[in-house]
Amino acid sequence: MQNATIIEILAHRTIAQRQKIKEAFKQSVGKDLLDCLKSELTGNFEKVVVGLMMSAPVYDAYELRNAIKGAGTEEACLIDILASRSNAEKKEIIATYKKEHGKSLEDDVCGDTSGMFQRVLVSLLAAGRDESTKVDEAQAVQDAKDIYEAGEARWGTDEVKFLTVLSVRNRNHLLRVFQEYQKISGRDIEDSIKREMSGCLEDVFLAIVKCMKNKPAFFAERLYKSMKGLGTTDSVLIRIMVARAEIDMLDIKAEFLKMYGKTLHSFIKGDTSGDYRKILLELCGGEK
């Protein structure tokens, strides 16, 4: 099968259509399309194509498994996925992970992480965030005070307070908390997290805050950082382009342009090559 044909067909179909192509291929050829593609293709192009042939929860579970099972854990993958998915999406990922890999995602995450970072991930995996839109004004003020007193206002940071507020409250409520926090502390919550924390813990709390404020902007920044400077972090670039292609790619592109003054299309074009570049540009869509 020619790579051009693969790009033409797969990049212009929805996930549901690609699942149907997989079934039809098996019926007419008697082979698994994914296995055939894996044996024919290599490198980053293969990674994109393999990702495109999976449903969303299967792909997320597959990425999480790969992030955990290697020599070192790819914490960025755990953060990108768990901080940005809804309760329903996380529940589906957990069930899929168990079915596909025969293990508990929480057990695997706990076996590979430690300390407060582990606690935040376990909390995110509990998929218990309030998803209503109501804001409790008095509670928002209290939450902002609690976070301030747990961080900026004391020696040493009480991360549990951050965890309680950031992983349980609904989006509208948190946006109100962030406004109140700015009033009390004179700082943006993101600045405080950067001052108070470091490493993976800082990264996961920042990801939660950014996803609450503006999820497409969070992904636009992740894409930008995966390509700017020396070398490309292909794992991040591939994961976001494949996972968000049908969800919010237009919004991500708009945010990217607003934030960096250049199009995502032009960045990908300048940073990749060959069929890998071609398929990513198709997923990205037009120049704009």
Side-chain angles (χ1 to χ4, degrees):
M1 204 186 300
Q2 295 295 315
N3 284 2
T5 311
I6 292 171
I7 296 168
E8 181 57 40
I9 295 172
L10 297 187
H12 298 134
R13 299 292 184 281
T14 63
I15 295 172
Q17 288 170 328
R18 289 194 289 264
Q19 298 310 305
K20 288 207 171 81
I21 291 169
K22 231 161 69 170
E23 288 162 24
F25 188 90
K26 197 169 229 171
Q27 283 171 356
S28 56
V29 184
K31 279 182 176 176
D32 184 82
L33 178 55
L34 199 51
D35 292 343
C36 290
L37 290 167
K38 279 181 182 169
S39 67
E40 293 282 322
L41 309 174
T42 56
N44 288 325
F45 180 63
E46 178 195 351
K47 286 175 187 158
V48 176
V49 171
V50 165
L52 289 175
M53 293 311 298
M54 298 178 184
S55 67
V58 170
Y59 183 59
D60 280 346
Y62 169 81
E63 283 290 288
L64 289 167
R65 181 76 192 120
N66 285 342
I68 292 166
K69 75 169 194 216
T73 308
E74 195 207 333
E75 287 91 355
C77 173
L78 304 183
I79 295 168
D80 280 354
I81 293 175
L82 298 181
S84 66
R85 305 307 193 251
S86 69
N87 289 346
E89 286 168 336
K90 282 186 278 199
K91 282 172 183 161
E92 216 175 337
I93 291 165
I94 291 162
T96 306
Y97 191 94
K98 182 89 178 157
K99 191 174 136 212
E100 297 278 324
H101 307 292
K103 293 167 188 275
S104 148
L105 177 53
E106 188 181 319
D107 289 351
D108 278 1
V109 165
C110 286
D112 242 40
T113 56
S114 61
M116 200 62 208
F117 177 56
Q118 180 192 87
R119 286 173 67 175
V120 178
L121 295 179
V122 168
S123 171
L124 290 172
L125 278 168
R129 182 181 299 286
D130 167 20
E131 288 184 338
S132 72
T133 54
K134 64 176 188 290
V135 177
D136 179 335
E137 281 295 329
Q139 185 64 57
V141 173
Q142 189 57 51
D143 285 343
K145 275 189 189 143
D146 286 348
I147 295 179
Y148 178 65
E149 281 160 14
E152 290 282 355
R154 58 172 284 175
W155 185 257
T157 307
D158 176 7
E159 291 110 346
V160 180
K161 277 280 191 293
F162 279 82
L163 170 60
T164 306
V165 175
L166 292 179
S167 66
V168 177
R169 306 284 190 259
N170 73 56
R171 178 171 182 261
N172 285 8
H173 182 90
L174 280 174
L175 294 178
R176 191 75 196 84
V177 172
F178 301 157
Q179 283 175 341
E180 279 301 319
Y181 185 87
Q182 177 92 38
K183 265 193 228 167
I184 298 168
S185 69
R187 288 183 200 287
D188 186 280
I189 181 86
E190 289 180 37
D191 293 335
S192 287
I193 290 169
K194 285 176 192 162
R195 282 163 55 93
E196 299 290 315
M197 299 173 199
S198 60
C200 294
L201 188 60
E202 176 190 340
D203 293 341
V204 73
F205 278 136
L206 281 176
I208 295 169
V209 169
K210 286 173 180 178
C211 284
M212 285 295 141
K213 285 182 176 176
N214 182 338
K215 202 179 286 183
F218 166 73
F219 285 119
E221 184 189 3
R222 297 288 295 131
L223 286 168
Y224 176 75
K225 286 185 170 166
S226 78
M227 290 182 279
K228 82 168 178 61
L230 286 172
T232 305
T233 314
D234 293 295
S235 58
V236 175
L237 178 56
I238 293 167
R239 181 166 56 248
I240 296 173
M241 294 305 293
V242 170
R244 308 311 290 185
E246 259 177 69
I247 299 173
D248 48 8
M249 188 54 69
L250 285 173
D251 297 326
I252 291 169
K253 284 165 66 177
E255 290 294 338
F256 193 97
L257 183 59
K258 199 160 82 183
M259 291 158 76
Y260 305 111
K262 293 204 169 97
T263 64
L264 176 58
H265 192 282
S266 69
F267 250 71
I268 292 171
K269 198 172 179 179
D271 234 60
T272 56
S273 60
D275 290 322
Y276 174 47
R277 174 204 276 164
K278 282 181 195 159
I279 199 161
L280 285 181
L281 290 178
E282 289 296 338
L283 291 176
C284 176
E287 299 270 347
K288 296 280 187 295

